[in-house]
Amino acid sequence: MTLNTGEPVGPCDPGRIPLALTPIHRLLRENPLEGGDVVSSPSDLLIWYRAFTFSLTFLLYTSFHLSRKPISIVKSELHKNCSALMDLSTTSSSQLPGFTDTDCSWKPFDKSNYKQLLGAMDYSFLCAYAVGMYLSGIIGERLPIRLYLSVGMLMSGLFTCLFGLGYVYNIHSLSFYIFVQVANGLVQTTGWPSVVTCIGNWFGKGRRGLIMGIWNSHTSVGNILGSLIAGYWVSSNWGLSFIVPGVIIAVMGVVCFLFLIERKRFFIFTLRSSSLTGFRCKDCDINLLSESEPSAISFMGALRIPGVIEFSLCLLFAKLVSYTFLFWLPLYITKAAHLDAKKAGDLSTLFDVGGIVGGILAGVISDKLGKRATTCAVMLLLAAPTVSLIYVLQNLVNTSMLVVCGGLVNGPYALITTAVSADLGTHKSLKGNSRALSTVTAIIDGTGSVGAAIGPLLAGVLSSRGWDQVFYMLMAADFLALLVGSKCGWV
């Protein structure tokens, strides 16, 4: 069988294979494998492309979180504490007439209700993200992942840049910023189901907790890079805090279109179609010549998979805590530790450093014990008292405290959204139909995103009554996640 570049062959249409496979196409046409060759050694191209896909999807989703982080860094710049300038104006011989403590803030966030307005911006993004996520998984299973993801990243880059252009063009309309947040929330839903499906297509269940624990650190890496990039410009030109991340995710969208190999099937098809009939491959456990693929699962069909509803609700409360820290921790550090926006942003990255360690540790332990839910339960049980210490010792916010808290808060969140979702998306009840993975991932993460939307909104309302109210909410959410998770049997 030879490769016909003019016509598609079954479900593995060569036209859907991106630029990344062009070299191997050319190499195998010029030097076809001999009949009976076995592709199984560690140095084979399949191993290399698996590592390539792992790294590429890691970088792609890093750019998603990198573009989400600036809003939390810029909040303290949108509404400044101008008391020092007030003191200067009153003591100076040339006093500034009519100067108030909000004159250096950015309208419309210069009023006393600025926390509610900032919370509304978070809510608009996260609510759109939660609603869109339920549709995204269903759509993603019916479109080429590479095209779907690339378009989403380009659009996300556009809307992230638009927010920054509000500074450039001196826009003070709340409706403008709300619109941008809603639009960005919708297009960013293309990311998670796509990358999880792609990585699930390339990697089996063996050591899935460890592999996905390492891979899921892209969330924290993106938050860290987003904080550092946004913090660099936040005090001088906060518009660039959005524009630069927006350009980065758009460029990564182009990279995705050119290089993402969405299924191992496409790679093996390239080897198979460029070889003689006797070709054998150790990892080719798929029927390449099948004229049809399994049909995509329905939304209700995905809900009937054992554990999907329980883990979705558990993630709702776990993600509520994680995203409240994501959007409000820098502002809290600014107020509690009396640091400027850049220093608070830099310090908040330690929470994400802990998230990297926590995600990997959760994956390793769950692989070792074979009990993912039990791993989540233990970390959630320890998270609540640790969260309380962030408030109790607010004047002593330090590195170790933030790292430990980040690990315990993000560990369960990372495990549920990756390894648990992949396990449920390939559940034995599906009888080998891997096309449920995107829908299951979208349902679990979409439900979690409802919590992600509620948390920052409540934080905006409750923080006006005192930060203690926010931390009571976070501790209650951790215990509710533990309670809901107990319905899974914690096994």
Side-chain angles (χ1 to χ4, degrees):
M1 178 180 176
T2 58
L3 178 65
N4 184 343
T5 56
E7 297 181 7
V9 181
C12 298
D13 180 0
R16 293 177 67 187
I17 299 175
L19 183 62
L21 278 179
T22 300
I24 192 172
H25 268 292
R26 185 180 298 113
L27 175 65
L28 291 176
R29 282 192 200 139
E30 295 173 355
N31 303 285
L33 295 171
E34 297 296 332
D37 283 355
V38 178
V39 183
S40 59
S41 69
S43 61
D44 284 328
L45 291 171
L46 181 59
I47 303 297
W48 190 93
Y49 273 103
R50 181 178 278 134
F52 172 80
T53 303
F54 180 96
S55 302
L56 179 58
T57 52
F58 181 96
L59 293 175
L60 293 179
Y61 210 72
T62 294
S63 67
F64 272 94
H65 266 263
L66 183 149
S67 67
R68 294 177 195 173
K69 188 63 177 179
I71 184 65
S72 66
I73 304 299
V74 172
K75 278 178 180 176
S76 56
E77 191 71 16
L78 294 177
H79 185 91
K80 289 184 177 181
N81 181 359
C82 304
S83 57
L85 290 178
M86 285 188 67
D87 293 340
L88 179 64
S89 69
T90 55
T91 58
S92 173
S93 56
S94 56
Q95 294 185 1
L96 300 177
F99 184 85
T100 68
D101 64 344
T102 60
D103 282 355
C104 61
S105 299
W106 187 267
K107 296 179 180 180
F109 308 102
D110 57 340
K111 308 300 182 188
S112 59
N113 66 338
Y114 73 96
K115 289 181 180 178
Q116 289 89 332
L117 297 182
L118 293 174
M121 281 209 305
D122 294 340
Y123 181 75
S124 60
F125 172 88
L126 293 167
C127 187
Y129 185 86
V131 173
M133 184 60 73
Y134 289 109
L135 299 175
S136 181
I138 298 173
I139 296 172
E141 281 186 350
R142 291 160 174 80
L143 293 176
I145 291 175
R146 180 165 60 97
L147 179 62
Y148 185 57
L149 182 57
S150 299
V151 172
M153 295 181 76
L154 289 171
M155 295 301 295
S156 181
L158 171 64
F159 290 118
T160 303
C161 288
L162 272 179
F163 199 106
L165 290 176
Y167 176 87
V168 176
Y169 292 102
N170 204 29
I171 298 174
H172 296 278
S173 170
L174 179 64
S175 59
F176 169 80
Y177 295 107
I178 295 292
F179 166 76
V180 171
Q181 288 287 83
V182 169
N184 202 9
L186 288 174
V187 297
Q188 287 228 350
T189 61
T190 59
W192 189 243
S194 298
V195 294
V196 171
T197 299
C198 188
I199 206 73
N201 288 336
W202 276 88
F203 293 89
K205 291 187 177 181
R207 302 180 72 185
R208 178 174 276 170
L210 172 61
I211 291 171
M212 288 199 157
I214 297 172
W215 178 75
N216 192 64
S217 64
H218 53 49
T219 301
S220 297
V221 172
N223 290 341
I224 292 170
L225 292 176
S227 296
L228 296 177
I229 291 172
Y232 184 82
W233 282 289
V234 64
S235 298
S236 57
N237 183 346
W238 63 256
L240 289 176
S241 296
F242 289 92
I243 293 172
V244 173
V247 170
I248 290 174
I249 191 174
V251 170
M252 291 304 298
V254 176
V255 172
C256 172
F257 180 77
L258 294 176
F259 293 101
L260 182 65
I261 309 164
E262 53 192 80
R263 295 180 188 271
K264 185 171 67 174
R265 169 188 294 271
F266 295 160
F267 175 86
I268 297 173
F269 172 77
T270 306
L271 295 177
R272 177 67 179 83
S273 60
S274 302
S275 309
L276 297 180
T277 308
F279 170 78
R280 292 180 292 121
C281 174
K282 180 179 179 181
D283 289 328
C284 299
D285 54 350
I286 48 180
N287 183 5
L288 295 172
L289 301 182
S290 173
E291 293 297 329
S292 62
E293 294 181 326
S295 58
I297 194 172
S298 66
F299 184 86
M300 294 306 298
L303 284 178
R304 285 194 289 268
I305 298 173
V308 168
I309 294 177
E310 292 85 350
F311 276 109
S312 296
L313 293 175
C314 181
L315 184 63
L316 185 151
F317 295 109
K319 205 167 181 179
L320 182 153
V321 178
S322 181
Y323 267 65
T324 301
F325 275 108
L326 172 67
F327 283 93
W328 285 91
L329 182 58
L331 182 61
Y332 171 73
I333 293 175
T334 299
K335 303 300 183 183
H338 307 291
L339 299 175
D340 61 33
K342 185 180 185 306
K343 290 180 180 178
D346 291 345
L347 188 59
S348 71
T349 61
L350 294 171
F351 182 86
D352 295 301
V353 171
I356 295 175
V357 177
I360 296 174
L361 190 61
V364 171
I365 295 174
S366 69
D367 278 345
K368 188 78 172 178
L369 299 177
K371 298 180 179 180
R372 306 208 193 279
T374 302
T375 305
C376 291
V378 173
M379 298 186 81
L380 287 169
L381 190 61
L382 296 174
T386 308
V387 167
S388 68
L389 288 177
I390 299 289
Y391 175 73
V392 173
L393 305 176
Q394 58 181 295
N395 294 325
L396 299 172
V397 176
N398 57 59
T399 57
S400 59
M401 187 190 306
L402 290 172
V403 170
V404 172
C405 186
L408 293 174
V409 166
N410 286 333
Y413 159 43
L415 191 61
I416 294 172
T417 54
T418 54
V420 171
S421 295
D423 288 346
L424 295 175
T426 54
H427 194 269
K428 60 183 180 181
S429 65
L430 297 170
K431 299 179 180 179
N433 183 359
S434 62
R435 296 198 67 191
L437 183 54
S438 181
T439 300
V440 169
T441 300
I443 290 173
I444 292 176
D445 196 53
T447 306
S449 297
V450 173
I454 294 172
L457 177 67
L458 290 178
V461 174
L462 295 176
S463 61
S464 61
R465 305 175 186 175
W467 286 104
D468 59 326
Q469 302 295 314
V470 176
F471 283 91
Y472 290 146
M473 174 194 72
L474 296 178
M475 288 185 285
D478 267 328
F479 282 122
L480 286 172
L482 184 62
L483 179 63
V484 171
S486 66
K487 301 297 182 181
C488 305
W490 290 127
V491 295

